Amino acid sequence: MSDTPLSRDDLVDLDQDDPLAHYRDQFELEEGLIYLDGNSLGALPKAAKTRVAELVEREWGQGLIRSWNTHDWISLPERVGDKIAPIIGAAPGEVVVADSTSVNLFKLAAAAVRMRPGRHKIVSEPGNFPTDLYILQGLEAFLPGEIRLETAPRERLETLIDEDTALVVLTHVHYKSGELFDMAAITAKAHEVGALMLWDLSHSAGAVPVDLNGVDADFAVGCGYKYLNGGPGAPGYLFVAKRHQAAFRQPLSGWFGHAEPFAMRDDYQPAPTIKRGLCGTTGVLATGVLEVGVELMASADMALIRAKSQRLGELFISLVERHCAGQGFALASPRDADRRGSQVSLTHEQGFAIIQALIARHIIGDFRAPNILRFGFTPLYTRYVDIWDTVQALANIMATREWDQPEFKTITAVT
Ligand SMILES: *Cc1c(COP(=O)(O)O)cnc(C)c1O
């Protein structure tokens, strides 16, 4: 690429002109650490530390049970949902925070197939994020003879979407390759045959522009702990388009989704609003911390985030090609930045050991079996100069075979 920077200073210059640069200071990031894994676990917003102290000491410690009312814990799921809504192109009242992405996917997929009686298929792609496929397999096993999961590689996916399809479930940005689906086109294809569309936005929200209502999506789920910086194990969220809410009945009919949870009646009556997506008691501490990450993300201009993310990715690819040529790497992400989320993946047969060697140098990416090295770019805190430093370290690790040490080859429980 003709505009590949020649020196570290070129990247320092880009940081100086970066309109998002000031956001970095709002995160707790150790000096000398390069964090390229915000796509897996976002960094800690400094404001989350004060918020958690306040939640624990004042709201829980002093307020105790009264805080459900006095600190409005009871409306946390909808309040944080409404703050996520603009990040994903949803309207107020269409998003609620609850449970995990896996659980939310089960609730929505089960509700969706009930809204298309007589149809037998859920369509997805092989290689989708494992939990998505596992949850759909669980639903299939739960409704034997009624629902089956069928998958086809994305080139042939459309041939599978037919009149027998109740629901199409896809992840917008692929967790391994970072490849983006054309949300508008696939949603339209599903609707053309009368099927419903459910998008998993785990690697999208806060990373790429998403316009759920613009593409007429029916359902969506997503993760709170990735680009939304909600903290480890933060709750997920679910979206149900307004037009479906009255017919939407999810199977985990717990009391928090009841129209009047504190009327303590025997019979379940779903809340008239998106609250019917809830099941049990809100994880107040986790949801309160997620709110901080969401507010920070919502305050940033998505057009700037996308532009910087694409630039970071392009610089990374061109620098790897220049400085690590002949070292056995191949690009596992689309080269075209418009077809890529906010990560670049490489393949290498020694991928695991190479990632460990980078981590030993305080450069944190991650590895996904069997051979993917993932580098996530989070424009709110990744600096341009981080890209230069990462590629130089990678080139050095390869040139000196630094990765080829036993300590970098011990497979850990979490990669
Ligand atoms: C991260 C991720 C999840 C995580 O699901 P949990 O229930 O939070 O473990 C699900 N789907 C996709 C596509 C993801 O990237």
Side-chain angles (χ1 to χ4, degrees):
M1 253 170 82
S2 54
D3 64 347
T4 307
L6 293 174
S7 74
R8 194 174 189 274
D9 286 345
D10 294 338
L11 291 145
V12 171
D13 289 346
L14 287 178
D15 283 319
Q16 249 141 31
D17 296 338
D18 174 12
L20 295 173
H22 64 281
Y23 274 99
R24 185 178 164 86
D25 203 36
Q26 305 208 34
F27 290 91
E28 196 73 37
L29 287 163
E30 197 183 307
E31 195 55 43
L33 178 83
I34 298 179
Y35 192 61
L36 302 178
D37 217 357
N39 51 318
S40 206
L41 174 62
L44 169 65
K46 286 178 181 165
K49 293 203 300 186
T50 37
R51 181 71 186 121
V52 93
E54 187 180 74
L55 273 164
V56 169
E57 289 165 20
R58 195 155 59 92
E59 300 193 13
W60 176 18
Q62 293 166 17
L64 290 165
I65 194 83
R66 294 168 291 187
S67 289
W68 283 102
N69 293 313
T70 54
H71 290 103
D72 205 21
W73 288 350
I74 195 68
S75 61
L76 257 179
E78 302 129 279
R79 185 168 88 219
V80 184
D82 280 349
K83 289 177 183 175
I84 292 172
I87 301 173
I88 57 176
E94 288 185 317
V95 181
V96 83
V97 167
D99 305 315
S100 63
T101 305
S102 304
V103 173
N104 290 331
L105 180 58
F106 182 81
K107 292 188 285 194
L108 295 199
V113 300
R114 288 295 188 220
M115 290 164 71
R116 288 294 179 271
R119 293 180 177 232
H120 299 97
K121 284 201 311 198
I122 297 180
V123 171
S124 190
E125 68 165 340
N128 192 351
F129 191 84
T131 207
D132 295 52
L133 293 175
Y134 301 161
I135 288 287
L136 298 175
Q137 287 161 18
L139 186 60
E140 179 183 41
F142 200 68
L143 299 170
E146 258 188 89
I147 284 296
R148 56 180 196 280
L149 172 65
E150 288 191 16
T151 60
R154 49 183 74 189
E155 316 79 69
R156 287 192 290 110
L157 199 60
E158 299 210 353
T159 62
L160 221 54
I161 304 174
D162 60 18
E163 311 286 329
D164 196 32
T165 305
L167 178 68
V168 180
V169 179
L170 293 169
T171 301
H172 178 221
V173 175
H174 196 274
Y175 76 104
K176 269 191 189 168
S177 67
E179 186 171 357
L180 271 172
F181 267 114
D182 181 338
M183 258 179 116
I186 308 267
T187 306
K189 173 70 196 171
H191 289 173
E192 208 177 285
V193 297
L196 293 163
M197 185 73 224
L198 193 168
W199 288 104
D200 187 329
L201 303 177
S202 290
H203 283 276
S204 308
V208 299
V210 176
D211 190 2
L212 286 174
N213 284 329
V215 303
D216 213 21
D218 302 296
F219 303 104
V221 293
C223 222
Y225 49 80
K226 294 172 180 166
Y227 295 94
L228 297 181
N229 306 307
Y237 55 90
L238 63 88
F239 157 90
V240 179
K242 265 270 160 57
R243 65 181 177 283
H244 292 310
Q245 288 184 4
F248 168 73
R249 293 293 290 258
Q250 56 96 356
L252 303 185
S253 45
W255 71 317
F256 264 55
H258 194 279
E260 293 178 90
F262 291 91
M264 303 289 179
R265 278 197 271 279
D266 283 355
D267 296 318
Y268 183 74
Q269 180 65 42
T273 65
I274 187 70
K275 274 182 73 178
R276 59 176 58 192
L278 300 180
C279 178
T281 308
T282 305
V284 171
L285 302 183
T287 311
V289 173
L290 170 63
E291 185 170 26
V292 175
V294 168
E295 279 175 354
L296 192 52
M297 180 53 72
S299 75
D301 179 337
M302 183 44 77
L304 293 177
I305 290 179
R306 182 60 172 155
K308 182 177 174 187
S309 151
Q310 293 190 315
R311 188 109 193 244
L312 290 166
E314 279 176 344
L315 288 167
F316 180 79
I317 293 170
S318 64
L319 285 170
V320 166
E321 286 178 344
R322 175 178 293 174
H323 296 277
C324 303
Q327 295 288 3
F329 289 108
L331 182 64
S333 297
R335 185 172 292 271
D336 175 1
D338 287 333
R339 294 184 46 231
R340 209 170 55 222
S342 201
Q343 72 184 62
V344 170
S345 301
L346 305 174
T347 57
H348 195 287
E349 59 181 19
Q350 294 298 335
F352 181 80
I354 295 166
I355 285 288
Q356 300 315 305
L358 279 170
I359 292 172
R361 288 176 175 232
H362 303 284
I363 299 172
I364 303 183
D366 67 19
F367 172 78
R368 285 292 174 264
N371 62 352
I372 301 262
L373 298 86
R374 251 185 355 172
F375 299 91
F377 308 119
T378 39
L380 296 191
Y381 53 84
T382 304
R383 294 169 298 202
Y384 287 101
V385 77
D386 294 338
I387 302 298
W388 178 271
D389 292 344
T390 299
V391 177
Q392 295 314 310
L394 191 59
N396 197 263
I397 285 165
M398 299 315 294
T400 61
R401 293 182 66 88
E402 188 172 306
W403 55 268
D404 194 9
Q405 302 178 47
E407 80 227 52
F408 296 147
K409 295 182 181 171
T410 313
I411 305 282
T412 44
V414 176
T415 60

